[in-house]
Amino acid sequence: MNRKSRRTAAKHLRTADTRRADAATSQVLIDQAVAAAQSGRWQEAEKVLRYLLSVDPDNAEALHMMGMALGSTGRATEGIDMLRRATELKPSEALYWQNLAACLLGAEQPHKAAEAARHAVTLEPGYVAAWSRLGDALAETQDFNGACGAYERVQALAGQELGNLKRIANCQMNLGRLDIAEATLKSADAMAPDDPEILANLGAVLVARSNYVDAVEVLAKAVEHDSKKFTVVYHYARALAGAGKAEPALLWARKATALEHRSLNAWVLLGKLALDLGHLAEAEVAARRATQLGPDTSEARQLNQRLKGVAPATKQTPAYMDFHLGDPDAVAPVPGVPLNVTFTDAPVQKVPSPKDPMKKDDAKAPAPDGTFDFTILKID
């Protein structure tokens, strides 16, 4: 647009003129809103668009941009209304349908988002962003087969891209295609060797496929990046246990239960490892917690069954001392039976010390029955 058109648009905006804007002025205002939005100045973009819609309420592009502005600033419901009006005015515009899908996903309406994305790819089969949006929406609805197909379409159109490769692997994992998921994740790992998400997922797949040695190596790298993520720590404990490294596995299993104390699987793993290493008291605690979290699960029942076949954990019991007073030939009391100690007012026999020799007159014989006075007891 030339300088004159820009000045005219700015004048319209300043004066809030209610006359219908001509096409040139509308385009200038749209360009201003786009520039502001791309710089993250959503408030400025919204001001321009509200003015334009006040003078041209059926401007499809203004409605589309306004919907994006609202959706990007936490007002997804209002944004959806604007975007729907834009698609009604221009139903053949794939961009509008794609952005409507994005806004619907933001509003946690994945089924409707999938419908909107399908409109976009039907109108424009080579629209990469719309295929990616369709994959996201289908993954949210747990349609991993459909999502995988959409992401593979993205790969066919745009080539191998790291983020899309991660999404494909996630779908394959959820579908149980672990061998294919392993190959996909290894391809992703070659592109980004230190990516924590790739390492964590690859390690989990290797554990699921019982390749514990390789899993330990991969997950050791993952915990270096993030040792506070439950899934990483839990799978690392499983890998160590599978590789026969019970002691370190127990330590990581403890950390897993600390990070996610409501994980039945983590408590079961901790209980099994504690049993294997002879930590019976800890195994009992883990089994009790597992039973609370999953009372009807086979995992909790099996752990408790194992505990039943093992000697109970050692518990500290009171110590009993067998002794008697007086007659050395008297029968020692039976353990656990209270001692029969008689208290008396008889004088205490004084024991001489080097600093205070006992005088002859001080010596007193013990009571005839051999009973001592315990009412006065001094411990130096």
Side-chain angles (χ1 to χ4, degrees), residues 166 173 185 189 192-208 215 217-223 225-226 229-236 239:
K166 289 182 185 180
M173 290 168 66
L185 287 164
D189 184 53
D194 294 322
D195 187 293
E197 183 184 355
I198 295 170
L199 290 170
N201 285 336
L202 178 56
V205 168
L206 291 169
V207 169
E217 182 181 352
V218 170
L219 288 165
K221 296 178 185 178
V223 295
H225 289 284
D226 190 355
K229 186 174 181 180
F230 166 73
T231 52
V232 175
V233 171
Y234 169 65
H235 288 305
Y236 189 38

PDB file of all heavy atoms in Angstrom, residues 166 173 185 189 192-208 215 217-223 225-226 229-236 239:
ATOM      1  N   LYS A 166       8.647 -37.513  16.172  1.00  0.00           N
ATOM      2  CA  LYS A 166       8.295 -37.831  17.565  1.00  0.00           C
ATOM      3  C   LYS A 166       6.816 -38.196  17.672  1.00  0.00           C
ATOM      4  O   LYS A 166       6.443 -39.129  18.395  1.00  0.00           O
ATOM      5  CB  LYS A 166       8.569 -36.632  18.473  1.00  0.00           C
ATOM      6  CG  LYS A 166      10.026 -36.314  18.712  1.00  0.00           C
ATOM      7  CD  LYS A 166      10.090 -35.129  19.669  1.00  0.00           C
ATOM      8  CE  LYS A 166      11.491 -34.651  19.898  1.00  0.00           C
ATOM      9  NZ  LYS A 166      11.538 -33.500  20.835  1.00  0.00           N
ATOM     10  N   MET A 173       3.817 -46.267  19.488  1.00  0.00           N
ATOM     11  CA  MET A 173       3.915 -46.823  20.843  1.00  0.00           C
ATOM     12  C   MET A 173       2.527 -47.124  21.399  1.00  0.00           C
ATOM     13  O   MET A 173       2.289 -48.179  21.992  1.00  0.00           O
ATOM     14  CB  MET A 173       4.661 -45.853  21.754  1.00  0.00           C
ATOM     15  CG  MET A 173       6.150 -45.723  21.444  1.00  0.00           C
ATOM     16  SD  MET A 173       6.921 -44.336  22.307  1.00  0.00           S
ATOM     17  CE  MET A 173       6.784 -44.876  24.014  1.00  0.00           C
ATOM     18  N   LEU A 185      12.190 -44.083  16.533  1.00  0.00           N
ATOM     19  CA  LEU A 185      12.889 -43.329  17.580  1.00  0.00           C
ATOM     20  C   LEU A 185      14.392 -43.320  17.351  1.00  0.00           C
ATOM     21  O   LEU A 185      15.068 -42.329  17.662  1.00  0.00           O
ATOM     22  CB  LEU A 185      12.554 -43.916  18.952  1.00  0.00           C
ATOM     23  CG  LEU A 185      11.139 -43.618  19.456  1.00  0.00           C
ATOM     24  CD1 LEU A 185      10.759 -44.533  20.600  1.00  0.00           C
ATOM     25  CD2 LEU A 185      11.024 -42.147  19.871  1.00  0.00           C
ATOM     26  N   ASP A 189      16.633 -40.170  17.090  1.00  0.00           N
ATOM     27  CA  ASP A 189      17.822 -40.040  17.925  1.00  0.00           C
ATOM     28  C   ASP A 189      19.045 -39.679  17.084  1.00  0.00           C
ATOM     29  O   ASP A 189      19.924 -38.935  17.528  1.00  0.00           O
ATOM     30  CB  ASP A 189      18.062 -41.345  18.686  1.00  0.00           C
ATOM     31  CG  ASP A 189      19.230 -41.254  19.652  1.00  0.00           C
ATOM     32  OD1 ASP A 189      19.229 -40.321  20.486  1.00  0.00           O
ATOM     33  OD2 ASP A 189      20.140 -42.101  19.583  1.00  0.00           O
ATOM     34  N   ALA A 192      18.791 -35.978  16.631  1.00  0.00           N
ATOM     35  CA  ALA A 192      18.988 -35.192  17.857  1.00  0.00           C
ATOM     36  C   ALA A 192      19.420 -36.134  18.982  1.00  0.00           C
ATOM     37  O   ALA A 192      18.602 -36.579  19.781  1.00  0.00           O
ATOM     38  CB  ALA A 192      17.691 -34.469  18.232  1.00  0.00           C
ATOM     39  N   PRO A 193      20.721 -36.441  19.065  1.00  0.00           N
ATOM     40  CA  PRO A 193      21.216 -37.469  19.999  1.00  0.00           C
ATOM     41  C   PRO A 193      20.969 -37.181  21.472  1.00  0.00           C
ATOM     42  O   PRO A 193      20.918 -38.104  22.277  1.00  0.00           O
ATOM     43  CB  PRO A 193      22.722 -37.503  19.699  1.00  0.00           C
ATOM     44  CG  PRO A 193      22.870 -36.917  18.342  1.00  0.00           C
ATOM     45  CD  PRO A 193      21.782 -35.914  18.203  1.00  0.00           C
ATOM     46  N   ASP A 194      20.820 -35.916  21.841  1.00  0.00           N
ATOM     47  CA  ASP A 194      20.662 -35.576  23.259  1.00  0.00           C
ATOM     48  C   ASP A 194      19.258 -35.097  23.607  1.00  0.00           C
ATOM     49  O   ASP A 194      19.057 -34.461  24.642  1.00  0.00           O
ATOM     50  CB  ASP A 194      21.686 -34.494  23.656  1.00  0.00           C
ATOM     51  CG  ASP A 194      23.111 -35.005  23.575  1.00  0.00           C
ATOM     52  OD1 ASP A 194      23.332 -36.180  23.935  1.00  0.00           O
ATOM     53  OD2 ASP A 194      24.000 -34.238  23.154  1.00  0.00           O
ATOM     54  N   ASP A 195      18.292 -35.409  22.776  1.00  0.00           N
ATOM     55  CA  ASP A 195      16.917 -34.981  23.049  1.00  0.00           C
ATOM     56  C   ASP A 195      16.340 -35.836  24.171  1.00  0.00           C
ATOM     57  O   ASP A 195      16.201 -37.054  24.015  1.00  0.00           O
ATOM     58  CB  ASP A 195      16.067 -35.129  21.785  1.00  0.00           C
ATOM     59  CG  ASP A 195      14.678 -34.541  21.954  1.00  0.00           C
ATOM     60  OD1 ASP A 195      13.886 -35.097  22.750  1.00  0.00           O
ATOM     61  OD2 ASP A 195      14.386 -33.535  21.289  1.00  0.00           O
ATOM     62  N   PRO A 196      15.994 -35.237  25.333  1.00  0.00           N
ATOM     63  CA  PRO A 196      15.512 -36.012  26.484  1.00  0.00           C
ATOM     64  C   PRO A 196      14.243 -36.813  26.201  1.00  0.00           C
ATOM     65  O   PRO A 196      14.098 -37.938  26.668  1.00  0.00           O
ATOM     66  CB  PRO A 196      15.249 -34.946  27.561  1.00  0.00           C
ATOM     67  CG  PRO A 196      16.042 -33.758  27.129  1.00  0.00           C
ATOM     68  CD  PRO A 196      16.077 -33.805  25.642  1.00  0.00           C
ATOM     69  N   GLU A 197      13.326 -36.231  25.423  1.00  0.00           N
ATOM     70  CA  GLU A 197      12.058 -36.915  25.120  1.00  0.00           C
ATOM     71  C   GLU A 197      12.300 -38.166  24.285  1.00  0.00           C
ATOM     72  O   GLU A 197      11.719 -39.227  24.542  1.00  0.00           O
ATOM     73  CB  GLU A 197      11.124 -35.960  24.395  1.00  0.00           C
ATOM     74  CG  GLU A 197       9.756 -36.551  24.093  1.00  0.00           C
ATOM     75  CD  GLU A 197       8.873 -35.619  23.291  1.00  0.00           C
ATOM     76  OE1 GLU A 197       9.273 -34.465  23.032  1.00  0.00           O
ATOM     77  OE2 GLU A 197       7.772 -36.054  22.901  1.00  0.00           O
ATOM     78  N   ILE A 198      13.180 -38.037  23.277  1.00  0.00           N
ATOM     79  CA  ILE A 198      13.491 -39.191  22.425  1.00  0.00           C
ATOM     80  C   ILE A 198      14.173 -40.289  23.238  1.00  0.00           C
ATOM     81  O   ILE A 198      13.835 -41.474  23.136  1.00  0.00           O
ATOM     82  CB  ILE A 198      14.372 -38.764  21.243  1.00  0.00           C
ATOM     83  CG1 ILE A 198      13.610 -37.810  20.327  1.00  0.00           C
ATOM     84  CG2 ILE A 198      14.844 -39.988  20.452  1.00  0.00           C
ATOM     85  CD1 ILE A 198      14.466 -37.149  19.265  1.00  0.00           C
ATOM     86  N   LEU A 199      15.142 -39.902  24.071  1.00  0.00           N
ATOM     87  CA  LEU A 199      15.860 -40.875  24.898  1.00  0.00           C
ATOM     88  C   LEU A 199      14.900 -41.601  25.843  1.00  0.00           C
ATOM     89  O   LEU A 199      14.973 -42.823  26.008  1.00  0.00           O
ATOM     90  CB  LEU A 199      16.951 -40.167  25.706  1.00  0.00           C
ATOM     91  CG  LEU A 199      18.141 -39.635  24.908  1.00  0.00           C
ATOM     92  CD1 LEU A 199      19.011 -38.745  25.788  1.00  0.00           C
ATOM     93  CD2 LEU A 199      18.964 -40.775  24.335  1.00  0.00           C
ATOM     94  N   ALA A 200      13.985 -40.840  26.461  1.00  0.00           N
ATOM     95  CA  ALA A 200      13.038 -41.441  27.405  1.00  0.00           C
ATOM     96  C   ALA A 200      12.122 -42.436  26.704  1.00  0.00           C
ATOM     97  O   ALA A 200      11.902 -43.556  27.201  1.00  0.00           O
ATOM     98  CB  ALA A 200      12.212 -40.350  28.083  1.00  0.00           C
ATOM     99  N   ASN A 201      11.595 -42.054  25.549  1.00  0.00           N
ATOM    100  CA  ASN A 201      10.686 -42.954  24.831  1.00  0.00           C
ATOM    101  C   ASN A 201      11.402 -44.169  24.258  1.00  0.00           C
ATOM    102  O   ASN A 201      10.883 -45.288  24.296  1.00  0.00           O
ATOM    103  CB  ASN A 201       9.977 -42.190  23.710  1.00  0.00           C
ATOM    104  CG  ASN A 201       8.894 -41.267  24.221  1.00  0.00           C
ATOM    105  OD1 ASN A 201       8.360 -41.475  25.308  1.00  0.00           O
ATOM    106  ND2 ASN A 201       8.569 -40.245  23.461  1.00  0.00           N
ATOM    107  N   LEU A 202      12.604 -43.956  23.745  1.00  0.00           N
ATOM    108  CA  LEU A 202      13.371 -45.083  23.219  1.00  0.00           C
ATOM    109  C   LEU A 202      13.711 -46.057  24.346  1.00  0.00           C
ATOM    110  O   LEU A 202      13.604 -47.284  24.178  1.00  0.00           O
ATOM    111  CB  LEU A 202      14.645 -44.581  22.538  1.00  0.00           C
ATOM    112  CG  LEU A 202      15.590 -45.651  21.967  1.00  0.00           C
ATOM    113  CD1 LEU A 202      14.852 -46.552  20.981  1.00  0.00           C
ATOM    114  CD2 LEU A 202      16.801 -45.004  21.304  1.00  0.00           C
ATOM    115  N   GLY A 203      14.102 -45.524  25.496  1.00  0.00           N
ATOM    116  CA  GLY A 203      14.390 -46.383  26.638  1.00  0.00           C
ATOM    117  C   GLY A 203      13.182 -47.186  27.070  1.00  0.00           C
ATOM    118  O   GLY A 203      13.285 -48.386  27.367  1.00  0.00           O
ATOM    119  N   ALA A 204      12.010 -46.543  27.082  1.00  0.00           N
ATOM    120  CA  ALA A 204      10.781 -47.236  27.479  1.00  0.00           C
ATOM    121  C   ALA A 204      10.442 -48.358  26.499  1.00  0.00           C
ATOM    122  O   ALA A 204      10.017 -49.447  26.908  1.00  0.00           O
ATOM    123  CB  ALA A 204       9.624 -46.241  27.552  1.00  0.00           C
ATOM    124  N   VAL A 205      10.650 -48.099  25.208  1.00  0.00           N
ATOM    125  CA  VAL A 205      10.384 -49.127  24.200  1.00  0.00           C
ATOM    126  C   VAL A 205      11.348 -50.300  24.360  1.00  0.00           C
ATOM    127  O   VAL A 205      10.950 -51.472  24.281  1.00  0.00           O
ATOM    128  CB  VAL A 205      10.485 -48.530  22.779  1.00  0.00           C
ATOM    129  CG1 VAL A 205      10.494 -49.622  21.726  1.00  0.00           C
ATOM    130  CG2 VAL A 205       9.309 -47.585  22.520  1.00  0.00           C
ATOM    131  N   LEU A 206      12.611 -50.004  24.609  1.00  0.00           N
ATOM    132  CA  LEU A 206      13.610 -51.063  24.789  1.00  0.00           C
ATOM    133  C   LEU A 206      13.291 -51.913  26.017  1.00  0.00           C
ATOM    134  O   LEU A 206      13.454 -53.139  26.001  1.00  0.00           O
ATOM    135  CB  LEU A 206      15.005 -50.452  24.904  1.00  0.00           C
ATOM    136  CG  LEU A 206      15.559 -49.824  23.619  1.00  0.00           C
ATOM    137  CD1 LEU A 206      16.814 -49.013  23.907  1.00  0.00           C
ATOM    138  CD2 LEU A 206      15.841 -50.895  22.567  1.00  0.00           C
ATOM    139  N   VAL A 207      12.823 -51.278  27.083  1.00  0.00           N
ATOM    140  CA  VAL A 207      12.411 -52.035  28.280  1.00  0.00           C
ATOM    141  C   VAL A 207      11.236 -52.939  27.941  1.00  0.00           C
ATOM    142  O   VAL A 207      11.202 -54.113  28.309  1.00  0.00           O
ATOM    143  CB  VAL A 207      12.052 -51.076  29.432  1.00  0.00           C
ATOM    144  CG1 VAL A 207      11.372 -51.840  30.574  1.00  0.00           C
ATOM    145  CG2 VAL A 207      13.299 -50.374  29.958  1.00  0.00           C
ATOM    146  N   ALA A 208      10.241 -52.382  27.237  1.00  0.00           N
ATOM    147  CA  ALA A 208       9.060 -53.167  26.871  1.00  0.00           C
ATOM    148  C   ALA A 208       9.424 -54.351  25.986  1.00  0.00           C
ATOM    149  O   ALA A 208       8.749 -55.391  26.015  1.00  0.00           O
ATOM    150  CB  ALA A 208       8.041 -52.269  26.165  1.00  0.00           C
ATOM    151  N   ALA A 215      18.639 -50.570  27.023  1.00  0.00           N
ATOM    152  CA  ALA A 215      17.744 -49.639  27.713  1.00  0.00           C
ATOM    153  C   ALA A 215      18.488 -48.906  28.828  1.00  0.00           C
ATOM    154  O   ALA A 215      18.294 -47.696  29.026  1.00  0.00           O
ATOM    155  CB  ALA A 215      16.547 -50.382  28.285  1.00  0.00           C
ATOM    156  N   GLU A 217      21.645 -48.167  28.973  1.00  0.00           N
ATOM    157  CA  GLU A 217      22.538 -47.178  28.357  1.00  0.00           C
ATOM    158  C   GLU A 217      21.772 -45.935  27.911  1.00  0.00           C
ATOM    159  O   GLU A 217      22.199 -44.797  28.155  1.00  0.00           O
ATOM    160  CB  GLU A 217      23.253 -47.815  27.165  1.00  0.00           C
ATOM    161  CG  GLU A 217      24.253 -46.885  26.482  1.00  0.00           C
ATOM    162  CD  GLU A 217      24.937 -47.536  25.295  1.00  0.00           C
ATOM    163  OE1 GLU A 217      24.762 -48.757  25.093  1.00  0.00           O
ATOM    164  OE2 GLU A 217      25.642 -46.811  24.556  1.00  0.00           O
ATOM    165  N   VAL A 218      20.630 -46.150  27.288  1.00  0.00           N
ATOM    166  CA  VAL A 218      19.836 -45.017  26.787  1.00  0.00           C
ATOM    167  C   VAL A 218      19.239 -44.219  27.938  1.00  0.00           C
ATOM    168  O   VAL A 218      19.300 -42.979  27.957  1.00  0.00           O
ATOM    169  CB  VAL A 218      18.714 -45.530  25.856  1.00  0.00           C
ATOM    170  CG1 VAL A 218      17.734 -44.408  25.524  1.00  0.00           C
ATOM    171  CG2 VAL A 218      19.311 -46.094  24.571  1.00  0.00           C
ATOM    172  N   LEU A 219      18.672 -44.907  28.911  1.00  0.00           N
ATOM    173  CA  LEU A 219      17.999 -44.213  30.016  1.00  0.00           C
ATOM    174  C   LEU A 219      18.981 -43.555  30.982  1.00  0.00           C
ATOM    175  O   LEU A 219      18.623 -42.592  31.667  1.00  0.00           O
ATOM    176  CB  LEU A 219      17.089 -45.188  30.757  1.00  0.00           C
ATOM    177  CG  LEU A 219      15.830 -45.578  29.973  1.00  0.00           C
ATOM    178  CD1 LEU A 219      15.159 -46.798  30.580  1.00  0.00           C
ATOM    179  CD2 LEU A 219      14.850 -44.416  29.909  1.00  0.00           C
ATOM    180  N   ALA A 220      20.216 -44.055  31.041  1.00  0.00           N
ATOM    181  CA  ALA A 220      21.234 -43.385  31.839  1.00  0.00           C
ATOM    182  C   ALA A 220      21.475 -41.973  31.310  1.00  0.00           C
ATOM    183  O   ALA A 220      21.667 -41.016  32.073  1.00  0.00           O
ATOM    184  CB  ALA A 220      22.527 -44.189  31.835  1.00  0.00           C
ATOM    185  N   LYS A 221      21.434 -41.826  29.983  1.00  0.00           N
ATOM    186  CA  LYS A 221      21.558 -40.498  29.375  1.00  0.00           C
ATOM    187  C   LYS A 221      20.319 -39.651  29.676  1.00  0.00           C
ATOM    188  O   LYS A 221      20.417 -38.447  29.926  1.00  0.00           O
ATOM    189  CB  LYS A 221      21.728 -40.619  27.863  1.00  0.00           C
ATOM    190  CG  LYS A 221      23.011 -41.316  27.420  1.00  0.00           C
ATOM    191  CD  LYS A 221      23.038 -41.421  25.897  1.00  0.00           C
ATOM    192  CE  LYS A 221      24.243 -42.205  25.403  1.00  0.00           C
ATOM    193  NZ  LYS A 221      24.235 -42.356  23.921  1.00  0.00           N
ATOM    194  N   ALA A 222      19.160 -40.309  29.657  1.00  0.00           N
ATOM    195  CA  ALA A 222      17.907 -39.577  29.892  1.00  0.00           C
ATOM    196  C   ALA A 222      17.854 -39.000  31.304  1.00  0.00           C
ATOM    197  O   ALA A 222      17.440 -37.858  31.495  1.00  0.00           O
ATOM    198  CB  ALA A 222      16.718 -40.495  29.648  1.00  0.00           C
ATOM    199  N   VAL A 223      18.278 -39.784  32.315  1.00  0.00           N
ATOM    200  CA  VAL A 223      18.214 -39.274  33.690  1.00  0.00           C
ATOM    201  C   VAL A 223      19.246 -38.187  33.942  1.00  0.00           C
ATOM    202  O   VAL A 223      19.093 -37.375  34.854  1.00  0.00           O
ATOM    203  CB  VAL A 223      18.366 -40.411  34.730  1.00  0.00           C
ATOM    204  CG1 VAL A 223      17.205 -41.373  34.664  1.00  0.00           C
ATOM    205  CG2 VAL A 223      19.691 -41.139  34.576  1.00  0.00           C
ATOM    206  N   HIS A 225      19.684 -35.802  31.892  1.00  0.00           N
ATOM    207  CA  HIS A 225      18.966 -34.601  31.455  1.00  0.00           C
ATOM    208  C   HIS A 225      17.831 -34.242  32.403  1.00  0.00           C
ATOM    209  O   HIS A 225      17.579 -33.063  32.656  1.00  0.00           O
ATOM    210  CB  HIS A 225      18.398 -34.803  30.043  1.00  0.00           C
ATOM    211  CG  HIS A 225      19.439 -34.828  28.979  1.00  0.00           C
ATOM    212  ND1 HIS A 225      20.067 -33.696  28.507  1.00  0.00           N
ATOM    213  CD2 HIS A 225      19.985 -35.862  28.283  1.00  0.00           C
ATOM    214  CE1 HIS A 225      20.935 -34.013  27.570  1.00  0.00           C
ATOM    215  NE2 HIS A 225      20.910 -35.322  27.408  1.00  0.00           N
ATOM    216  N   ASP A 226      17.136 -35.256  32.906  1.00  0.00           N
ATOM    217  CA  ASP A 226      15.967 -34.988  33.754  1.00  0.00           C
ATOM    218  C   ASP A 226      15.763 -36.148  34.716  1.00  0.00           C
ATOM    219  O   ASP A 226      15.162 -37.162  34.367  1.00  0.00           O
ATOM    220  CB  ASP A 226      14.725 -34.798  32.885  1.00  0.00           C
ATOM    221  CG  ASP A 226      13.523 -34.281  33.678  1.00  0.00           C
ATOM    222  OD1 ASP A 226      13.648 -34.169  34.919  1.00  0.00           O
ATOM    223  OD2 ASP A 226      12.483 -33.987  33.076  1.00  0.00           O
ATOM    224  N   LYS A 229      11.748 -36.563  36.298  1.00  0.00           N
ATOM    225  CA  LYS A 229      10.582 -36.968  35.519  1.00  0.00           C
ATOM    226  C   LYS A 229      10.265 -38.417  35.865  1.00  0.00           C
ATOM    227  O   LYS A 229      11.088 -39.319  35.667  1.00  0.00           O
ATOM    228  CB  LYS A 229      10.862 -36.823  34.027  1.00  0.00           C
ATOM    229  CG  LYS A 229       9.642 -37.081  33.157  1.00  0.00           C
ATOM    230  CD  LYS A 229       9.921 -36.783  31.698  1.00  0.00           C
ATOM    231  CE  LYS A 229       8.683 -37.012  30.834  1.00  0.00           C
ATOM    232  NZ  LYS A 229       8.942 -36.716  29.423  1.00  0.00           N
ATOM    233  N   PHE A 230       9.065 -38.644  36.347  1.00  0.00           N
ATOM    234  CA  PHE A 230       8.701 -39.968  36.866  1.00  0.00           C
ATOM    235  C   PHE A 230       8.909 -41.073  35.844  1.00  0.00           C
ATOM    236  O   PHE A 230       9.508 -42.107  36.154  1.00  0.00           O
ATOM    237  CB  PHE A 230       7.237 -39.963  37.332  1.00  0.00           C
ATOM    238  CG  PHE A 230       6.698 -41.352  37.558  1.00  0.00           C
ATOM    239  CD1 PHE A 230       7.097 -42.103  38.653  1.00  0.00           C
ATOM    240  CD2 PHE A 230       5.809 -41.921  36.650  1.00  0.00           C
ATOM    241  CE1 PHE A 230       6.626 -43.390  38.848  1.00  0.00           C
ATOM    242  CE2 PHE A 230       5.339 -43.206  36.838  1.00  0.00           C
ATOM    243  CZ  PHE A 230       5.741 -43.944  37.943  1.00  0.00           C
ATOM    244  N   THR A 231       8.405 -40.895  34.619  1.00  0.00           N
ATOM    245  CA  THR A 231       8.480 -41.986  33.643  1.00  0.00           C
ATOM    246  C   THR A 231       9.924 -42.369  33.337  1.00  0.00           C
ATOM    247  O   THR A 231      10.242 -43.549  33.175  1.00  0.00           O
ATOM    248  CB  THR A 231       7.760 -41.600  32.339  1.00  0.00           C
ATOM    249  OG1 THR A 231       8.265 -40.328  31.890  1.00  0.00           O
ATOM    250  CG2 THR A 231       6.261 -41.492  32.554  1.00  0.00           C
ATOM    251  N   VAL A 232      10.807 -41.380  33.275  1.00  0.00           N
ATOM    252  CA  VAL A 232      12.218 -41.662  33.003  1.00  0.00           C
ATOM    253  C   VAL A 232      12.820 -42.471  34.145  1.00  0.00           C
ATOM    254  O   VAL A 232      13.496 -43.488  33.932  1.00  0.00           O
ATOM    255  CB  VAL A 232      12.999 -40.345  32.805  1.00  0.00           C
ATOM    256  CG1 VAL A 232      14.490 -40.621  32.644  1.00  0.00           C
ATOM    257  CG2 VAL A 232      12.482 -39.591  31.579  1.00  0.00           C
ATOM    258  N   VAL A 233      12.574 -42.023  35.370  1.00  0.00           N
ATOM    259  CA  VAL A 233      13.134 -42.695  36.552  1.00  0.00           C
ATOM    260  C   VAL A 233      12.567 -44.103  36.697  1.00  0.00           C
ATOM    261  O   VAL A 233      13.298 -45.073  36.969  1.00  0.00           O
ATOM    262  CB  VAL A 233      12.842 -41.859  37.813  1.00  0.00           C
ATOM    263  CG1 VAL A 233      13.215 -42.623  39.081  1.00  0.00           C
ATOM    264  CG2 VAL A 233      13.602 -40.534  37.753  1.00  0.00           C
ATOM    265  N   TYR A 234      11.270 -44.251  36.503  1.00  0.00           N
ATOM    266  CA  TYR A 234      10.625 -45.555  36.650  1.00  0.00           C
ATOM    267  C   TYR A 234      11.164 -46.558  35.628  1.00  0.00           C
ATOM    268  O   TYR A 234      11.511 -47.692  35.978  1.00  0.00           O
ATOM    269  CB  TYR A 234       9.109 -45.398  36.494  1.00  0.00           C
ATOM    270  CG  TYR A 234       8.360 -46.704  36.373  1.00  0.00           C
ATOM    271  CD1 TYR A 234       8.317 -47.606  37.432  1.00  0.00           C
ATOM    272  CD2 TYR A 234       7.715 -47.048  35.181  1.00  0.00           C
ATOM    273  CE1 TYR A 234       7.631 -48.815  37.316  1.00  0.00           C
ATOM    274  CE2 TYR A 234       7.036 -48.245  35.063  1.00  0.00           C
ATOM    275  CZ  TYR A 234       6.997 -49.124  36.128  1.00  0.00           C
ATOM    276  OH  TYR A 234       6.346 -50.326  36.014  1.00  0.00           O
ATOM    277  N   HIS A 235      11.258 -46.149  34.372  1.00  0.00           N
ATOM    278  CA  HIS A 235      11.757 -47.071  33.340  1.00  0.00           C
ATOM    279  C   HIS A 235      13.241 -47.372  33.538  1.00  0.00           C
ATOM    280  O   HIS A 235      13.695 -48.477  33.207  1.00  0.00           O
ATOM    281  CB  HIS A 235      11.492 -46.509  31.948  1.00  0.00           C
ATOM    282  CG  HIS A 235      10.049 -46.554  31.548  1.00  0.00           C
ATOM    283  ND1 HIS A 235       9.311 -47.720  31.570  1.00  0.00           N
ATOM    284  CD2 HIS A 235       9.191 -45.572  31.135  1.00  0.00           C
ATOM    285  CE1 HIS A 235       8.071 -47.467  31.179  1.00  0.00           C
ATOM    286  NE2 HIS A 235       7.981 -46.181  30.911  1.00  0.00           N
ATOM    287  N   TYR A 236      13.980 -46.410  34.075  1.00  0.00           N
ATOM    288  CA  TYR A 236      15.390 -46.674  34.370  1.00  0.00           C
ATOM    289  C   TYR A 236      15.512 -47.741  35.453  1.00  0.00           C
ATOM    290  O   TYR A 236      16.351 -48.654  35.348  1.00  0.00           O
ATOM    291  CB  TYR A 236      16.075 -45.385  34.810  1.00  0.00           C
ATOM    292  CG  TYR A 236      17.574 -45.480  34.925  1.00  0.00           C
ATOM    293  CD1 TYR A 236      18.326 -46.213  34.014  1.00  0.00           C
ATOM    294  CD2 TYR A 236      18.263 -44.818  35.941  1.00  0.00           C
ATOM    295  CE1 TYR A 236      19.714 -46.290  34.108  1.00  0.00           C
ATOM    296  CE2 TYR A 236      19.639 -44.878  36.043  1.00  0.00           C
ATOM    297  CZ  TYR A 236      20.358 -45.619  35.123  1.00  0.00           C
ATOM    298  OH  TYR A 236      21.729 -45.689  35.232  1.00  0.00           O
ATOM    299  N   ALA A 239      14.785 -51.022  33.811  1.00  0.00           N
ATOM    300  CA  ALA A 239      15.895 -51.469  32.971  1.00  0.00           C
ATOM    301  C   ALA A 239      17.021 -52.049  33.821  1.00  0.00           C
ATOM    302  O   ALA A 239      17.579 -53.108  33.499  1.00  0.00           O
ATOM    303  CB  ALA A 239      16.406 -50.299  32.131  1.00  0.00           C
TER     304      ALA A 239
END
